[in-house]
Amino acid sequence: MSDLWSSLLRRGNARRVRSGKAGCRLYAIGDVHGRLDLLDELLDQIMRDMVNRTPKKTFLVFLGDLIDRGPDSAGVVERLRTYAPLGLFPIFLRGNHEEALLRILEGEGEILADWLKFGGDTCVASYGLDPDTLAQIDPMAAIDRMRAKIPRGHRAFLRSFGDTFRFGDYLCVHAGIRPGVSLGEQTPADLHWIREPFLSDRTDHGFVVIHGHTVVEHVDEQPNRIGIDTGAYRTGNLTALAVEDDQRWYLKTNKTGLFAGLEQVSLTAGA
């Protein structure tokens, strides 16, 4: 009886194996932030990786913050707006930077100055606008200039982004979730902006959260979350996490935009 009891305790303490959606594969890409050069390299890596694997329905999830900070927000949006390679199903999630731009375009001139300071300056420059001029003129006049320069197709594309994507035992989201709040009751503000208490929380949410938003030097794997924003706009390192069944692996660029290797991890009960 004591041996049986010990066995049950060991089983209870073991972490469950996390798996993706049955019969499917996922690639999740961290914050691109206007680095079209790195995006192109990583997409090429993903296509090469797929060729070497069994054909499956494959989702390509962008975790948000395609724009701002880096030099070519307009190029990134145009690249992805009609991106539909054979065998891949792109999913786009909204980040706090897309949220800010859309709110400004909808008339919230009071946040324009702050947005320009935290990365929006490079975004407007990529559309042929002078950020210094926009910061100095009346906010509504600045918004009119932005509306004239940012194509309607780009605006419609950014508005189409979702907030979360569930893939088996994984949840993709830009920033994270508020611990202790059910998924259906999460607010867009938390999904797009949260850091604490999400980052330090170790609660089992019932799924592993794959997120960006918070820059880390290396992929941040915790039992309940995986952070893959490796600061592409300033480091040259853009990262993708792949999940298939109980396996996951990473693809990434390096500072010169060249292939920097692939790491595969087999998920066990303790992973």
Side-chain angles (χ1 to χ4, degrees), residues 25 27 44-55:
R25 183 181 299 123
Y27 295 96
D44 286 346
Q45 288 186 43
I46 288 171
M47 296 306 294
R48 292 197 299 267
D49 189 57
M50 287 177 57
V51 168
N52 294 321
R53 300 182 184 276
T54 303

Side-chain angles (χ1 to χ4, degrees), residues 4 12 19-20 29 34 40 74 77 80 101 105 121 125 127 131 141 176 179 182 186 202 209 220-221 239 249 261-262:
L4 175 60
S19 294
I29 295 180
D40 283 339
V77 174
L80 295 177
L101 174 57
L105 291 173
D121 56 343
Y127 284 101
S182 67
Q186 297 286 331
R202 295 295 178 262
V209 179
D220 183 11
E221 283 209 21
T239 299
W249 62 98
L262 179 152

Side-chain angles (χ1 to χ4, degrees), residues 176-194:
I177 62 173
R178 184 158 296 276
V181 177
S182 67
L183 184 57
E185 296 180 346
Q186 297 286 331
T187 67
D190 283 335
L191 297 174
H192 303 165
W193 294 85
I194 198 169

Side-chain angles (χ1 to χ4, degrees), residues 42-260:
L42 193 57
L43 291 176
D44 286 346
Q45 288 186 43
I46 288 171
M47 296 306 294
R48 292 197 299 267
D49 189 57
M50 287 177 57
V51 168
N52 294 321
R53 300 182 184 276
T54 303
K56 287 188 175 183
K57 184 174 184 179
T58 301
F59 296 94
L60 178 63
V61 178
F62 293 86
L63 295 179
D65 283 5
L66 299 180
I67 63 170
D68 297 354
R69 300 196 186 281
D72 199 1
S73 294
V76 169
V77 174
E78 181 60 24
R79 175 81 162 94
L80 295 177
R81 184 174 63 90
T82 58
Y83 184 68
L86 186 65
L88 270 176
F89 294 85
I91 304 290
F92 298 95
L93 303 182
R94 185 174 298 184
N96 57 308
H97 285 260
E98 284 88 14
E99 178 193 313
L101 174 57
L102 290 171
R103 287 170 58 187
I104 290 165
L105 291 173
E106 289 165 4
E108 291 191 45
E110 63 273 18
I111 67 173
L112 174 63
D114 285 340
W115 174 69
L116 289 171
K117 291 176 183 176
F118 77 82
D121 56 343
T122 59
C123 180
V124 295
S126 74
Y127 284 101
L129 293 161
D130 177 26
D132 293 333
T133 299
L134 294 183
Q136 293 167 9
I137 65 177
D138 176 77
M140 295 312 298
I143 291 173
D144 285 340
R145 294 191 185 188
M146 291 171 61
R147 289 170 178 162
K149 282 288 191 177
I150 300 175
R152 289 185 179 181
H154 285 207
R155 287 179 270 162
F157 173 58
L158 295 175
R159 284 195 296 268
S160 73
F161 290 9
D163 286 332
T164 64
F165 178 73
R166 186 71 182 265
F167 186 78
D169 294 327
Y170 293 85
L171 177 79
C172 298
V173 64
H174 176 63
I177 62 173
R178 184 158 296 276
V181 177
S182 67
L183 184 57
E185 296 180 346
Q186 297 286 331
T187 67
D190 283 335
L191 297 174
H192 303 165
W193 294 85
I194 198 169
R195 286 196 170 93
E196 294 298 347
F198 168 69
L199 295 175
S200 59
D201 183 76
R202 295 295 178 262
T203 302
D204 184 345
H205 306 298
F207 44 75
V208 175
V209 179
I210 301 172
H211 67 95
H213 186 57
T214 299
V215 176
V216 290
E217 183 177 0
H218 305 288
V219 170
D220 183 11
E221 283 209 21
Q222 303 295 334
N224 61 352
R225 65 174 183 85
I226 304 174
I228 62 169
D229 178 4
T230 46
Y233 71 95
R234 69 181 186 220
T235 67
N237 299 319
L238 179 63
T239 299
L241 164 63
V243 177
E244 181 179 340
D245 299 326
D246 64 350
Q247 304 286 313
R248 64 175 177 250
W249 62 98
Y250 298 93
L251 297 94
K252 59 183 179 180
T253 63
N254 62 22
K255 291 184 179 180
T256 58
L258 300 176
F259 181 65

